[in-house]
Amino acid sequence: MKQVFYNKWLTRALIALTLVLVVLLVVLITQLSQIASFNARLDELEGLMTQSQSEAERLQKLEEYRQSYEYVWQWAIEHGMVNENDNSWIPNN
């Protein structure tokens, strides 16, 4: 084994290969950690997107309810605009 290291060219080649392998290993580990981080962020953003879609659906239903006669009637009663027994001004469907 000692005779292998007497050849300077072979020794330099082994050192260069070792350094290249170490650099490649560091790059691979960095890339894998970035991929894991991006996947975690992607999962988080997908969760937020799902949450915002459900919130948008809830707000759409609330808007539709607020445009109904039932909501107008309840609001008018709560704010003292009409008497609870007088509902002749709201058309019935």
Side-chain angles (χ1 to χ4, degrees):
M1 188 72 179
K2 289 182 182 181
Q3 293 175 351
V4 170
F5 293 110
Y6 286 131
N7 190 349
K8 289 183 181 181
W9 181 86
L10 185 60
T11 303
R12 288 179 183 158
L14 287 174
I15 290 172
L17 283 174
T18 304
L19 289 175
V20 167
L21 287 175
V22 168
V23 168
L24 288 175
L25 185 63
V26 167
V27 169
L28 178 66
I29 290 172
T30 303
Q31 292 294 326
L32 290 176
S33 67
Q34 284 181 350
I35 288 172
S37 174
F38 289 149
N39 285 338
R41 181 71 175 148
L42 180 64
D43 291 341
E44 178 184 345
L45 291 175
E46 285 176 346
L48 288 173
M49 188 172 67
T50 303
Q51 183 180 1
S52 67
Q53 286 174 347
S54 64
E55 180 69 13
E57 290 173 4
R58 185 187 71 78
L59 290 174
Q60 179 68 28
K61 288 179 183 176
L62 180 62
E63 181 182 356
E64 289 172 3
Y65 171 69
R66 286 185 175 177
Q67 292 176 357
S68 70
Y69 291 122
E70 178 184 339
Y71 174 77
V72 172
W73 177 247
Q74 291 298 322
W75 184 89
I77 290 173
E78 289 173 5
H79 289 88
M81 301 291 187
V82 295
N83 187 353
E84 194 170 330
N85 296 327
D86 181 26
N87 61 358
S88 60
W89 63 278
I90 297 180
N92 293 327
N93 290 340

